[in-house]
Amino acid sequence: PPEVVLKVDDLVSTRDGNVVPRWKRITDFALAHNIKLSIGIIADSLEGDKPAYFSYIRDLQKTGLFEFWFHGYDHKAWKEDGRNVSEFQGASYERQKDHFVRSQALAREKLGFVFTAFGAPFNATDTVTDRVLAEDPDIKVFLFGNPRDTACGKVVLDRVGPVNIEAPLFAPNADAFISGYLKNASGRRYYVIQGHPAQWDDARWSQFVKIVDYLQRNHIPVVTPTGAASL
């Protein structure tokens, strides 16, 4: 069956530098169920002195079950001359380049590793992003990039809209995932499915647990982005 990447977005610390309880819940669950999880870090959360948060990430990384990927420096969007701009769509080369360089430096300094996969905030990028990606030798995988655009020089892992953790946004839906997976499985090698654990209350959490249970009962491989890219 097609492999699955459990892509979960928006890891940050609490204001006092500790681990957000809903993030602790999902990583404890992954450890208990021996299932791989791919976690997008918003890199400005690595600023400052946060020993508990940094140790949490480093310890998870050492298990081999977790891949931490670059999900932007600040995850911001704004208006500029009447148009919508976000961190990696419509922003200048200088700004996008700075966010990559700064974030990789923070990861190396605070976590002891660099990011090897990238997924943009809002999944929004442009040709400037392709240029910046091409200039980063450490990034190997581009999550939810356009597979027809090879300018970035990375392995692009695309998305299939009907196959996702959340339907609608922020609301895990086990039935929708299972239906989408079965209908779209023909010819696929992998699916990358996206969720936002910090947005999941107990009812939403129970739906995510049902998705993982389905994957494990049916022996569907769960891999990391670099695993799906066969790196």
Side-chain angles (χ1 to χ4, degrees):
E3 300 170 335
V4 167
V5 177
L6 293 173
K7 172 187 182 285
V8 287
D9 296 16
D10 303 344
L11 177 65
V12 294
S13 66
T14 63
R15 290 184 179 180
D16 58 356
N18 287 305
V19 180
V20 175
R22 288 182 179 180
W23 276 105
K24 182 71 163 50
R25 176 169 63 177
I26 194 173
T27 54
D28 284 352
F29 178 83
L31 289 167
H33 289 76
N34 195 40
I35 195 163
K36 293 185 177 181
L37 205 60
S38 306
I39 299 176
I41 298 179
I42 300 176
D44 65 359
S45 70
L46 303 177
E47 299 277 11
D49 186 20
K50 303 173 182 176
Y53 179 58
F54 300 153
S55 294
Y56 164 76
I57 296 171
R58 288 195 299 262
D59 290 347
L60 291 175
Q61 174 82 355
K62 291 173 185 175
T63 68
L65 288 175
F66 300 86
E67 180 169 352
F68 292 92
W69 49 274
F70 175 40
H71 193 40
Y73 174 74
D74 58 18
H75 205 295
K76 288 186 176 178
W78 64 98
K79 288 279 190 181
E80 193 171 293
D81 298 326
R83 60 190 178 93
N84 294 321
V85 180
S86 59
E87 187 173 2
F88 294 106
Q89 188 174 72
S92 69
Y93 168 80
E94 290 74 19
R95 183 187 180 99
Q96 294 195 35
K97 180 73 171 182
D98 174 69
H99 283 202
F100 262 80
V101 171
R102 188 186 309 188
S103 299
Q104 291 285 39
L106 283 167
R108 185 178 287 107
E109 175 190 354
K110 303 298 178 65
L111 305 178
F113 60 84
V114 294
F115 298 116
T116 55
F118 165 71
F122 319 108
N123 299 311
T125 62
D126 58 20
T127 56
V128 172
T129 316
D130 290 339
R131 176 184 172 191
V132 174
L133 272 170
E135 294 169 351
D136 188 320
D138 295 306
I139 298 286
K140 309 299 183 186
V141 180
F142 185 6
L143 293 162
F144 290 171
N146 184 342
R148 294 185 297 276
D149 184 359
T150 59
C152 64
K154 311 301 178 183
V155 177
V156 173
L157 299 182
D158 65 350
R159 69 189 305 183
V160 175
V163 190
N164 207 359
I165 295 173
E166 298 172 343
L169 183 67
F170 301 142
N173 186 325
D175 289 342
F177 164 74
I178 294 167
S179 174
Y181 182 90
L182 294 174
K183 288 178 180 177
N184 293 275
S186 178
R188 291 288 302 185
R189 186 173 59 81
Y190 67 86
Y191 291 111
V192 181
I193 62 175
Q194 175 179 277
H196 303 81
Q199 307 295 329
W200 299 346
D201 59 16
D202 290 346
R204 291 176 174 182
W205 170 254
S206 69
Q207 289 291 306
F208 173 75
V209 172
K210 288 180 180 179
I211 290 172
V212 173
D213 179 63
Y214 176 83
L215 295 173
Q216 295 198 309
R217 279 190 293 106
N218 290 278
H219 307 289
I220 296 169
V222 178
V223 299
T224 62
T226 52
S230 300
L231 297 174

